[in-house]
Amino acid sequence: MFATVRKATLPLAILCGVLPGAVCAADLAQVAPAPMAEEAIAAASPWMIRVRALGVLTHDSGTINGVPGAGLSYSDTVIPELDISYFFTDNIAAELILGTTFSRINTTGALGEIDVGKTWLLPPTLTLQYHFTDFGAFKPYVGAGVNYSLFYHQSEKPGFSNLDVKNDFGAALQVGFDYMVTKNWGVNFDVKKIFLDTKWTATSDALGDISGKAKIDPWLVGAGVTYRF
């Protein structure tokens, strides 16, 4: 039997030695293994940016101390917005949104419609998100976090002075999705609810010093373009 094995392997050995192009067992053993899927995933960048058109839709509610039945209303706006996301894992990410807008403040109810003034607002919002990854190019997510609203460049209409809307924290909830057209580029739709109830003061020619609460509670509804590095 051993003689038979030697006879069977001898021609292969001669072939490998004589023909350089012949494929031998030693050559097959030297073939490099294919890259692992985990290495390809690790090479992906954790950073993502989005540019959106954002509608800021306020909740018209507020009070004026000492004037029963009086309230406040605020103007809605559409602004550009930039957000930056960092993925800790395929499912968990943090998002910071940046944008600024203004809002006009009016009295309502017992005082009628009186234009009090205008304030600019910078509302940086940080959310922690969970991204669902089982739907192919469609990538929905939910999030929750915190908002800090800074009011600046406040101005008054005739009859009012010293308008001051206080900076304040608020909770934020979020739902949205990305649809990735290519590996890097996609489209995005996003909705956030900010729970913002702050204090305000002003001086009225008719009423003297006035104060109250401004319950703005805006919806932030955005659509735009996604880029994953």
Side-chain angles (χ1 to χ4, degrees), residues 9-78:
T9 56
L10 182 58
L12 179 59
I14 295 172
L15 180 63
C16 291
V18 174
L19 300 179
V23 179
C24 303
D27 297 327
L28 293 175
Q30 296 175 5
V31 176
M36 300 298 291
E38 290 80 5
E39 294 175 358
I41 293 173
S45 171
W47 293 99
M48 174 186 283
I49 62 171
R50 301 183 186 94
V51 178
R52 299 187 184 111
L54 187 70
V56 182
L57 311 176
T58 57
H59 175 63
D60 293 334
S61 180
T63 61
I64 301 175
N65 296 333
V67 186
L72 299 175
S73 67
Y74 322 96
S75 61
D76 300 331
T77 55
V78 177

Side-chain angles (χ1 to χ4, degrees), residues 75-144:
S75 61
D76 300 331
T77 55
V78 177
I79 62 169
E81 180 236 60
L82 171 70
D83 81 61
I84 304 169
S85 297
Y86 183 86
F87 284 78
F88 301 101
T89 70
D90 286 347
N91 299 105
I92 305 298
E95 179 193 77
L96 175 65
I97 72 164
L98 301 169
T100 189
T101 184
F102 69 88
S103 184
R104 301 184 186 280
I105 303 172
N106 297 277
T107 64
T108 62
L111 293 179
E113 294 282 340
I114 303 175
D115 191 348
V116 177
K118 181 174 76 172
T119 181
W120 282 84
L121 169 63
L122 178 66
T125 302
L126 180 65
T127 60
L128 186 66
Q129 303 170 331
Y130 184 86
H131 289 251
F132 300 89
T133 56
D134 300 328
F135 303 97
F138 178 67
K139 302 183 182 299
Y141 56 85
V142 294

Side-chain angles (χ1 to χ4, degrees), residues 143-167:
V146 64
N147 159 268
Y148 185 69
S149 292
L150 300 100
F151 297 89
Y152 67 98
H153 196 56
Q154 303 178 56
S155 59
E156 306 85 8
K157 289 295 184 177
F160 292 90
S161 59
N162 303 319
L163 176 63
D164 184 19
V165 183
K166 306 298 183 183
N167 302 339

